[in-house]
Structures are given as structure tokens and as C-alpha cells.
Amino acid sequence: MASESVSESKAAAMSWTISPGNGGVAVDLPRDGTAVYPAVEIVGTEGVPLGVHRVSVTLPSNMGLRFGSGTNPDYTLTVWNKETGRAESTRPGTLSPDMSVLTFDAVDLGPGGKSDCWVTVHASYAAPATETALTFTVGSSEASKSSSSTPLRIL
């Protein structure tokens, strides 16, 4: 499900890549409000900070997914520095009117060259039993990169 895409040639010069978290291995998502944490991994050039970027996370259409757990809406993004083994930041986001996109401005992806970013989601009881993923987009509209998240296996 790795689907890195670049919006313009300027993004090709960005010194990092983005790919599904958890090595692309699917995570089970029960239809009972249980929270899971789909992620992407961002890997940069050694010794170059990943920098500050806008991050948008889009839910797949018609899959019955919502941000947060079944009992707690959660509109935050966590950035985990894989080199230090600690959270760099937790940022509140802005939820779109249709509740399908979370946008986070000025996210520092960390001083190291490897970070994970994740959000919290849950599946409604009406969600179809299938495999799906969120889409993470990192960067501005002029230069961005996108990837599917950790695959989610809705049970």
C-alpha cells in the first residue's frame, strides 16, 4: 500500500521520504470503538533535520472511520522521534466541516532523520469488514508528499 506521491517537482528536492507505518503490516481494527493509531514513517537524509511542515490526515471515504476513540474525540497528531525513542510533540489539529480531514500547521517533524507520525481512529459498528488506510500528506500545497498509513484491517 506504499503510495508516495509528489505534488510538484519542488517536492522532489525534499530530503525525506514517507511510507506506511508499522512496516506496512496491517493492524486489526475492531468495530467496537477501540482506538488504533495508524502512522506513517518519515525518513530523512542522515544529519538533516526533517523540518517544520503542514500535515493533513484524510480518512478513507465510506469506511465508517472517525478520529479518536469511540468515547473520546481526539484531534491530535503525535510525532515520535525514532532515534531518541521519545515523543517530539503532540499537536492539536483542525477538523474539516465534513469530519474527514485533520490539518496540523507548523509541525516540527524532529531534529533527527527518522520519525513516526500518528493519529487516533476508531471504526463504527456500521464499518464494512475490509482493509483500508488513511492518507497522510506532509508539506505545503506547492510541495508535498503523501502516503497511505499503516493498513487497517476492519474486523
Side-chain angles (χ1 to χ4, degrees):
M1 291 187 78
S3 61
E4 182 177 322
S5 64
V6 179
S7 65
E8 288 189 11
S9 59
K10 283 173 71 175
M14 294 178 171
S15 61
W16 47 269
T17 60
I18 181 172
S19 59
N22 197 38
V25 177
V27 185
D28 290 345
L29 175 56
R31 293 177 279 183
D32 63 1
T34 300
V36 297
Y37 307 92
V40 291
E41 180 181 63
I42 302 170
V43 178
T45 305
E46 189 173 330
V48 178
L50 293 172
V52 176
H53 301 277
R54 170 179 269 199
V55 177
S56 295
V57 183
T58 305
L59 295 172
S61 299
N62 303 315
M63 289 291 142
L65 301 185
R66 301 286 179 263
F67 291 107
S69 70
T71 58
N72 183 30
D74 183 355
Y75 308 131
T76 58
L77 175 78
T78 299
V79 178
W80 183 266
N81 184 320
K82 293 180 84 167
E83 293 177 345
T84 64
R86 65 181 181 88
E88 284 296 324
S89 65
T90 302
R91 304 271 312 183
T94 302
L95 187 62
S96 65
D98 68 358
M99 302 177 75
S100 68
V101 180
L102 269 175
T103 302
F104 307 90
D105 289 316
V107 177
D108 186 348
L109 296 177
K114 194 182 270 191
S115 291
D116 282 342
C117 296
W118 67 76
V119 294
T120 306
V121 298
H122 73 280
S124 70
Y125 292 102
T130 189
E131 190 168 297
T132 190
L134 283 61
T135 301
F136 281 71
T137 302
V138 180
S140 67
S141 59
E142 297 84 37
S144 64
K145 294 184 181 184
S146 295
S147 175
S148 326
S149 69
T150 308
L152 302 173
R153 187 180 310 106
I154 303 173
L155 306 174

